[in-house]
Amino acid sequence: MKTDANVVHLNKATAEQSPTSPVGRLPVALIQVRDKAAQQLKQNLQSLFDNADDTLFEMADRATSNAEQNAFFEAMRDLRLKRKNIERGFLQKVFESFANLNQYEIGKPQPALDAVSFDSLSLVQNDELEETVALDAMVAKVMSRDAVALGHLTTRLNAVISKKLDDKSNPLGPTLLSEYFLDACSSLGVEIKVKLIILKLFEKYVLGSCDMLYAEANQALVSAGVLPELKSAPPRRQQRPAASAYVQSSGEEGIPLLEGADQGVQEVFGALQDLLSQVRGTAMPRRAQAADAMPITSSDLMRLLSHMQQRAPAQVNVEDFDLRDQLERLLERASAKSGKARVVGEVDEDVINLVSMLFEFILDDRTLPDSLKALIGRLQIPMLKVAVLDKTFFSRGSHPARRLLNEIASAALGWVDQDDAQRDSLYQKIEQVVQRLLNDFVDDPAIFSELLAEFMAFTGDERRRSELLEQRTRDAEEGSAKAELARRQVEHALNERLLGKTLPEVVVRLLQEAWSKVLMLTCLKHGVESDEWQAALQTMDDLVWSVAPHEDPEARLRLLELVPGLLKALREGMASAAFDPFSTSEFFSQLEVLHVQAFQRFKRAAPEAETVVAEDAAHTDPSEAGIELPLLELPAAEEIEDAPAMVEVVEEIILLAPGQTRPQEPDVVLPDDDEALLQVDSLRVGSWVEIQEDEEHKLRCKLAAIIKPTGKYVFVNRTGMKVLEKTRNALAVEFRRNAVRLLDDALLFDRALESVIGNLRKLKHS
């Protein structure tokens, strides 16, 4: 199962609060209550989701129609994909409710869960009514059981906060907790029947532990000296299941039973057996057996499997290895030695068939890299031994052996086949887990819990490192996107003012090479709606106007007024952009010539004008820029240098970042309703894909970000490093030529089990 980086970390959530926020003003005792409560609620939610698969699977097995069964399977998948978001949303609501405890109310708050009046029943949809009735019943059950402890907690909270609470508005009360959970589950696309099952699980695993929640919260406040005289009854002790013990049934040899096992678990395995029995002898032929063949016990089967396990070759060709065939040969040799025909009992044979079919799916799964299939294939015997010992292996989603297999497959999702695979840390860790099981697992399933904890610690470290690099990649891409968007704004501004015009070459170069950088910085820092952006555009407009020919006598007066401020704005802007001072000096020297020529034209047109402002940016100190200097004598016409070269701007200006090449138009432009574009749009951040780069090389990568301003899809490898960048259109073209394959990141074992059940049902009806 994938873990999600978006979990609310309690310490981090506390640390990130500002000193002036409401949370920053909460008493220390309340912060302790909040953090302890959030930790307990988080654990209870995890128990809820760990058991949700079992419950929904059982309901699917009892379904009376294919549509109903598919609804439960879809709900299982949806819940797995969204469990982390639900946990995060629920805990975020709890944190927000505590943050608001010291805020004064404005107006009368409405109850979170209003009772439905008799008169309004006809206005309420049936689904909403069922949901409301279920919530009211859940809340009422907690209130009837834990009202005293909750009341004491509410009283203590009122003693230390400014906002007055009642039991309904208590952030740890069943009313708000139920509302928070329902709100967090709003993204689930399930029907009311499934939603009610999820609510029952919430009642069992979260609200069912409210007495412990209130006891700890009250005790924390008592320890802080808040109303210690209030005495609550001690919480009831949690009923914990007895330790697992496996015993042989005295009535039927070879059937291991889990002591205290839930009846539903037995029903799930029984349903699987029923499916197998209906296809046995037809779609699944049984081997010929001697009439006097005696079934071996489960203990004997375990010994045979251990014998095979110890002698399993280091490298297994998954296509050639047949567990049932290998076991049959061992039994034949054992029968020949003892002189008595021995076979596997029917129940154990069903287990063997189920595990074999599961691994046939797993080893044929295209999501798993080929090099890791050989490693995972060696787990077939240990997994079979677990299934023989414990039938909950097939029904309990939280079973350590199932979780270990799912975690290995999830970690391997982004692994790429390589020549030095044995040097890869993930490959080495999976190989170590496999070897430990083959060497040490005899009949104690506790080893799976131990290896699961070790493997999750390893993948957790790898995940944190990859998430850090992935976040840096996203930040860099978002920064690049902002720069790209600003570059487009600057290009538009330049082309709008220059395209199609004939201007002095120096002015075109100044605007394109120097002033474009000023515009870029202004756009990034202040945005295109700012006064600073408008001022930078106005400076550019003034510069273009100042070098254009003008016949209007009034233009001379405007130019006299404009030049000092224009030169000052140009100098300050280029200095802020850290433009090369030598190039700046050259630009201003040539600009001086242009302005002198403009005034000379005015003198020839009006001989009485003998003076002009001469603001030479190349010779003026920056501190004096913009100050109107004494009017100087204009040089004679013959003393003026030749006019600078003029250029016509005929091509659109495209600004390129360092190292960036000129963008190429896509070869294929797809219509908006093209199926390939719809496939691209269905991708979500976090989706894993496999891209066929050429005939020999495939790239596995994860969609890390969709940069909307630029339309770029950014992909990273399992270490979080950027490996690919595609536009929406370019990615759609890859989909059209079938070079992109979406990898299924749902739990491997669960997908395998769904496939086996589906195949058995098809065989049953064929």
Side-chain angles (χ1 to χ4, degrees), residues 120-378:
S120 65
L121 284 179
S122 60
L123 303 177
V124 181
Q125 296 293 330
N126 289 337
D127 288 359
E128 295 176 357
L129 179 59
E130 286 191 59
E131 187 179 288
T132 303
V133 170
L135 289 172
D136 287 344
M138 289 160 53
V139 172
K141 196 173 294 185
V142 176
M143 294 302 297
S144 67
R145 186 183 64 225
D146 303 316
V148 174
L150 176 60
H152 287 180
L153 178 58
T154 302
T155 303
R156 288 190 170 99
L157 291 177
N158 283 327
V160 294
I161 62 174
S162 57
K163 180 167 138 182
K164 295 307 174 187
L165 305 174
D166 56 20
D167 289 346
K168 284 187 176 182
S169 57
N170 188 320
L172 297 181
T175 301
L176 285 186
L177 290 180
S178 300
E179 178 190 352
Y180 297 158
F181 182 72
L182 197 61
D183 185 62
C185 291
S186 60
S187 62
L188 287 176
V190 297
E191 57 187 42
I192 186 63
K193 183 176 182 179
V194 177
K195 183 175 284 190
L196 293 177
I197 293 173
I198 296 172
L199 287 177
K200 289 297 290 183
L201 291 171
F202 179 76
E203 178 185 2
K204 178 179 179 180
Y205 291 101
V206 180
L207 297 185
S209 300
C210 276
D211 60 333
M212 300 297 294
L213 183 71
Y214 301 151
E216 291 187 9
N218 276 312
Q219 185 56 47
L221 292 173
V222 168
S223 300
V226 181
L227 302 180
E229 63 275 12
L230 290 177
K231 302 294 182 185
S232 302
R236 69 192 190 284
R237 295 183 64 85
Q238 295 288 339
Q239 297 296 325
R240 299 193 177 277
S244 297
Y246 302 96
V247 295
Q248 291 292 85
S249 168
S250 58
E252 183 176 0
E253 185 181 29
I255 304 179
L257 296 176
L258 178 63
E259 193 171 82
D262 183 79
Q263 184 63 30
V265 171
Q266 298 300 324
E267 290 179 4
V268 170
F269 181 66
L272 291 171
Q273 282 187 290
D274 182 59
L275 283 173
L276 285 168
S277 67
Q278 295 183 48
V279 299
R280 189 181 291 121
T282 54
M284 186 182 294
R286 293 196 62 172
R287 297 178 186 272
Q289 298 179 357
D292 58 346
M294 292 290 294
I296 61 174
T297 65
S298 293
S299 298
D300 288 338
L301 175 60
M302 290 291 291
R303 281 193 288 271
L304 287 175
L305 292 173
S306 294
H307 175 83
M308 294 172 60
Q309 177 178 303
Q310 293 296 327
R311 287 158 180 76
Q315 296 295 330
V316 178
N317 188 334
V318 295
E319 296 179 356
D320 297 337
F321 182 77
D322 188 329
L323 175 61
R324 286 171 287 197
D325 185 61
Q326 297 283 337
L327 189 57
E328 186 69 24
R329 292 180 186 178
L330 272 181
L331 279 174
E332 288 175 358
R333 289 203 295 270
S335 299
K337 282 185 179 180
S338 64
K340 297 179 181 178
R342 306 303 299 270
V343 293
V344 175
E346 186 174 284
V347 174
D348 288 334
E349 185 181 15
D350 287 340
V351 173
I352 293 169
N353 286 329
L354 284 172
V355 172
S356 296
M357 286 187 286
L358 287 170
F359 269 84
E360 284 173 6
F361 174 90
I362 290 171
L363 298 177
D364 193 44
D365 185 27
R366 295 178 63 193
T367 298
L368 281 178
D370 291 337
S371 351
L372 292 179
K373 283 183 181 179
L375 275 180
I376 295 174
R378 298 173 67 193

Side-chain angles (χ1 to χ4, degrees), residues 17 149 192 206 451 487 622 693:
Q17 302 297 342
I192 186 63
V206 180
L451 290 173
R487 191 174 292 113
E693 295 186 300

Side-chain angles (χ1 to χ4, degrees), residues 295-579:
I296 61 174
T297 65
S298 293
S299 298
D300 288 338
L301 175 60
M302 290 291 291
R303 281 193 288 271
L304 287 175
L305 292 173
S306 294
H307 175 83
M308 294 172 60
Q309 177 178 303
Q310 293 296 327
R311 287 158 180 76
Q315 296 295 330
V316 178
N317 188 334
V318 295
E319 296 179 356
D320 297 337
F321 182 77
D322 188 329
L323 175 61
R324 286 171 287 197
D325 185 61
Q326 297 283 337
L327 189 57
E328 186 69 24
R329 292 180 186 178
L330 272 181
L331 279 174
E332 288 175 358
R333 289 203 295 270
S335 299
K337 282 185 179 180
S338 64
K340 297 179 181 178
R342 306 303 299 270
V343 293
V344 175
E346 186 174 284
V347 174
D348 288 334
E349 185 181 15
D350 287 340
V351 173
I352 293 169
N353 286 329
L354 284 172
V355 172
S356 296
M357 286 187 286
L358 287 170
F359 269 84
E360 284 173 6
F361 174 90
I362 290 171
L363 298 177
D364 193 44
D365 185 27
R366 295 178 63 193
T367 298
L368 281 178
D370 291 337
S371 351
L372 292 179
K373 283 183 181 179
L375 275 180
I376 295 174
R378 298 173 67 193
L379 293 174
Q380 188 168 356
I381 296 175
M383 292 296 172
L384 173 56
K385 290 169 70 175
V386 169
V388 170
L389 287 171
D390 183 4
K391 302 302 183 293
T392 64
F393 176 75
F394 296 107
S395 58
R396 186 158 59 96
S398 58
H399 194 289
R402 280 178 63 163
R403 289 187 63 194
L404 179 62
L405 188 59
N406 284 331
E407 289 291 342
I408 289 174
S410 179
L413 192 62
W415 199 84
V416 181
D417 289 330
Q418 47 195 333
D419 296 334
D420 56 346
Q422 284 72 13
R423 296 183 182 180
D424 183 87
S425 59
L426 176 61
Y427 187 95
Q428 290 176 344
K429 188 62 182 178
I430 297 175
E431 188 175 40
Q432 178 187 341
V433 169
V434 172
Q435 206 57 50
R436 275 281 309 278
L437 285 173
L438 293 176
N439 293 339
D440 301 342
F441 175 44
V442 180
D443 57 5
D444 183 6
I447 190 174
F448 284 93
S449 297
E450 178 186 342
L451 290 173
L452 175 63
E454 290 179 5
F455 189 77
M456 290 185 69
F458 169 82
T459 54
D461 289 340
E462 279 212 331
R463 185 181 65 256
R464 281 186 287 274
R465 286 193 295 269
S466 67
E467 285 171 355
L468 180 61
L469 183 55
E470 190 176 325
Q471 185 58 50
R472 289 175 180 169
T473 300
R474 275 195 295 268
D475 292 342
E477 290 300 321
E478 288 171 1
S480 298
K482 290 179 181 177
E484 178 64 24
L485 194 59
R487 191 174 292 113
R488 292 178 185 176
Q489 294 281 2
V490 174
E491 287 176 352
H492 176 72
L494 289 173
N495 287 314
E496 190 176 38
R497 288 157 175 81
L498 304 183
L499 198 60
K501 293 184 179 179
T502 300
L503 296 168
E505 181 187 14
V506 60
V507 172
V508 175
R509 283 198 304 112
L510 187 149
L511 293 176
Q512 187 170 346
E513 297 175 12
W515 200 248
S516 64
K517 293 180 172 57
V518 178
L519 290 171
M520 276 280 294
L521 289 175
T522 305
C523 184
L524 287 171
K525 189 174 182 180
H526 302 288
V528 294
E529 303 296 330
S530 65
D531 293 339
E532 290 83 357
W533 172 259
Q534 295 302 323
L537 293 181
Q538 186 60 51
T539 298
M540 181 165 56
D541 292 337
D542 290 344
L543 175 60
V544 172
W545 183 89
S546 72
V547 298
H550 300 286
E551 301 298 334
D552 186 359
E554 294 181 1
R556 173 180 176 275
L557 295 176
R558 181 186 171 190
L559 189 62
L560 284 172
E561 296 173 355
L562 180 68
V563 168
L566 171 62
L567 296 176
K568 179 182 178 182
L570 287 171
R571 183 179 294 280
E572 289 178 348
M574 293 168 74
S576 70
F579 194 72

